[in-house]
Amino acid sequence: MLTELSIRDVVLIEALDLGFGDGLGVLTGETGAGKSILLDALGLALGARGDSGLVRHGATQAVVTATFDPPAPDAPLTALLDDNALEIEPGEPLIIRRIVKADGGSRGFVNNQPASAGLLREMAPHLVEIHGQHDERGLLNPRGHRALLDIFGRTEPGAVSRAWGVLRAAEAELAAARAEIETAARDREWLEHTVGELTTLSPQPGEEETLAETRRSMQRAEKIADDLAAIDEYLDGSDGGLAKLRQAARVLERIAGDHAALGEALAAIDRVVIEGALAEEHLRDARAALSYDPRALEDDEARLFELRAMARKHRVQPDELAALADEMRARLERLDAGEGGVLVLETRVKEAQKDFDAAAAALTTRRLAAAAKLDAAVAGELAPLKLDAARFRTVVAETEEWSAAGKDRVEFEISTNPGAPFAGLTKIASGGELSRFILALKVALAEEGGASTMVFDEIDRGVGGAVASAIGERLARLARTTQLLVVTHSPQVAARGAEHLLIAKSNDGIVTRTGVRTLSEAERREEIARMLSGASITDEARAQAERLLETA
């Protein structure tokens, strides 16, 4: 509920502080007194466009502060504040402040915390409903009719919302699987060729290093083969060094006893022969290790070059070819298995669609029942508002734009004369008729609960007498359950107010100002008399005003 409205330097308002109570509050004043300025100021606090033209001439900025009762902990508004990291202490009033600079630009605050105009607009529907003949954001906007019908009929779309979420998730998963298969299918020929190539090559981890080391060894053996052959000739054979030494040893054996030095010479030769034999053994080992087959070297090099070429082709290291082959085979397997997976996902989507269809159908049934109930409630309000020939209906029809709210399009339609076709509220009703339709609809909807604060801007325009009395009675009834502020030119409506605010313009010869003040009982009587008689208030008008106040 709106409890206070503070306005500084907005158009003709220099400084104004208003307090609001429960029930029906009426705002009256002569034409041009500035009633629209008051609503513009409230709209500014609720996120309306911050036009610098609203700043009072000579002022640097305009400031509007609106104070509301603390939001309930479980209210959607509280969740919205939490989502935007705006902290409101439990039980603390909600204070919205909007500043508009004379040179352009605006700033918003929620309990002294910065808030964008967009956020203020999001908060506005949770705080105040503003209804007028040209307010297409409210009851005249078909986009909001479904939500209004759901509130009226208490048709909670939770089951539909959950089913819709499951359906959308299943559809997304299916679409992703199909896209993956489509991509893989385009690559199937390449995958099959690559897997065949790698399978034929059969690369092994570490194979490239082993082949390279073997190749290096065989290349070294090739280089020293001639040297080893020459050493063989020097050491081995009948003319080799060791053979000559052995022959010398045999000769020395016959004469070694003739002199000690010959014996030592024989011993030395024996040692040399033994070392030579050891050298021959090492040479045999080296020759065996360094031996190579030219064909084997050729095969080794061919394999090595083939591995390296394949690695370059796939832009991996040779040791990664084995893993690449496994990956390619796995992709082919997934492609083959993917079609079966798609079938599973398609079944899941069909089941989710079936569940959504069932939930949406049940919701449609509840909405149709609520629509019939709403139509009857509105019809009961039309006759007292002198709309006897008019008919109202709530159209519930399937739309192609399914959503978490179901499959239904909801629109309120009217027919103002017998035999006339039904159409949208704004298309066939005159200004006076439209205002009464809005009131009838709002009264019917409000009886099932609604916003805590509503503003009706001259909703009684173009009517008078008994119709104005009926409007006043219904506004008073509506105000029993919600705070209601009404800008009115009707004395019958004004007389119903629990609180009466007078908007008046004053001029000191230099500056024109708009002011608002709460009227006493005597002042109320005088204001209603003015509304009845015009500029010249007569005793008869005062008497009639008294009767209106007594019967209100």
Side-chain angles (χ1 to χ4, degrees), residues 135-158:
D135 179 25
E136 296 189 357
R137 298 169 302 168
L139 295 179
L140 303 187
N141 187 350
R143 286 178 295 181
H145 291 176
R146 184 174 61 195
L148 289 171
L149 180 62
D150 285 345
I151 292 172
F152 174 83
R154 295 187 174 90
T155 51
E156 172 59 44

Side-chain angles (χ1 to χ4, degrees), residues 515-537:
V516 181
R517 62 188 180 88
T518 302
L519 299 182
S520 65
E521 285 300 316
E523 290 171 328
R524 283 191 69 194
R525 187 180 303 105
E526 197 72 5
E527 170 63 9
I528 293 173
R530 181 199 63 78
M531 298 170 72
L532 286 165
S533 63
S536 179
I537 302 175

Side-chain angles (χ1 to χ4, degrees), residues 34 81 96 114 119 194 241 336 438 539 552:
L81 295 171
I96 299 176
L119 176 57
T194 301
D336 294 336
I438 290 175
D539 290 339

Side-chain angles (χ1 to χ4, degrees), residues 166-187:
V166 172
L167 174 59
R168 294 295 291 164
E171 288 176 337
E173 190 174 359
L174 175 60
R178 284 174 171 167
E180 183 178 355
I181 288 176
E182 183 179 349
T183 301
R186 290 196 299 267
D187 297 338

